[in-house]
Amino acid sequence: MERTALVTGASGGLGAEFARIFAREGYSLLLVARSERLLRERSSELSRTYGIEARWIALDLAEQGAPQRLLESVRQERVEVEALVNNAGFGDVSPLAHADAEKISRMVELNVGCLTELCRGIVPDMLERGSGAVLNVASVAAFMPGPYMASYFATKAYVLSFSEALSAELSGTGVTCTALCPGPTRTGFWKAAGDEGSPLLSALPCKTPAQVAEEGYRGLVLGKAIVVPGWTNRIAAFGTRLLPRAAVRGLAARAIRP
């Protein structure tokens, strides 16, 4: 039976690396992102290199109704999604009082709403088949509050909590859910967030998208509930549970804005 991996945010960064890994492992692909040109180029390249079928849908998943349109396309084309990678998302560096209201709304819709809708729409079919895997991209930000990035950190806390709960619900069904929680990664995230000079980029070692995606894929294959790539990131993530919350807030604030 043909295995299909649906990867959102697949035009670059982590999403592009996930697409490459699943193609390498023999999956057919359904790639989703905003850029039609980049999706076409990536799909053609992966098809030639790995001999797999790669389809794409150019769609802005932050738009109202976009997740439903994607799910409808999946149903109409009778795509059996064996692996769902919810990678699409973005952040914003700004005190909430000065943040762009529309950008915040789109961020919450993409990082939280879209991810939830796609899981709700695709997991039932996985359960019916008795096999499948979901990988939701969270962040080490999920483990702490983030002054000056309050909304972004909160969305990733949701992703982690949601994914852990879903992992428990799926236990013993043949379907798994993994939350991938990377630290700083060499992608275009900080440029898109509006702050390429954040101290976080030097406070923690930066991994490449390929390194993070490989660790995420291994965690997905093993059915892990949480994957935090890199020992320094694991210390940063789980160490926050040992510190007073006031100290965590202060450290996070200084890491984002000195």
Side-chain angles (χ1 to χ4, degrees), residues 60-117:
D60 184 350
L61 290 170
E63 289 185 353
Q64 188 172 8
Q68 296 94 322
R69 292 198 296 275
L70 174 56
L71 290 170
E72 184 59 31
S73 295
V74 168
R75 285 190 288 267
Q76 287 181 350
E77 297 183 23
R78 298 183 179 179
V79 178
E80 291 192 354
V81 178
E82 185 70 13
L84 168 63
V85 180
N86 279 308
N87 168 71
F90 68 91
D92 181 56
V93 180
S94 178
L96 185 64
H98 301 131
D100 182 278
E102 182 179 354
K103 187 174 184 180
I104 295 296
S105 178
R106 285 174 57 82
M107 184 201 311
V108 173
E109 178 58 35
L110 181 59
N111 296 8
V112 172
C114 175
L115 177 144
T116 305
E117 288 189 56

Side-chain angles (χ1 to χ4, degrees), residues 193-216:
D195 189 0
E196 293 184 84
S198 171
L200 267 177
L201 295 174
S202 56
L204 293 172
C206 276
K207 284 185 171 288
T208 66
Q211 290 172 322
V212 172
E214 288 287 356
E215 292 199 41

Side-chain angles (χ1 to χ4, degrees), residues 2-57:
E2 181 182 80
R3 301 182 300 170
T4 297
L6 192 167
V7 183
T8 68
S11 59
L14 277 177
E17 291 298 332
F18 277 120
R20 179 188 59 80
I21 291 168
F22 279 101
R24 182 192 70 197
E25 298 299 319
Y27 284 76
S28 296
L29 298 175
L30 178 56
L31 307 181
V32 185
R34 290 181 299 172
S35 173
E36 181 177 336
R37 177 183 62 83
L38 291 175
L39 286 173
R40 184 186 298 112
E41 292 173 356
R42 196 160 307 282
S43 296
S44 297
E45 175 193 352
L46 293 173
S47 293
R48 289 194 307 270
T49 303
Y50 297 102
I52 53 90
E53 181 181 6
R55 288 169 285 186
W56 53 269
I57 298 175

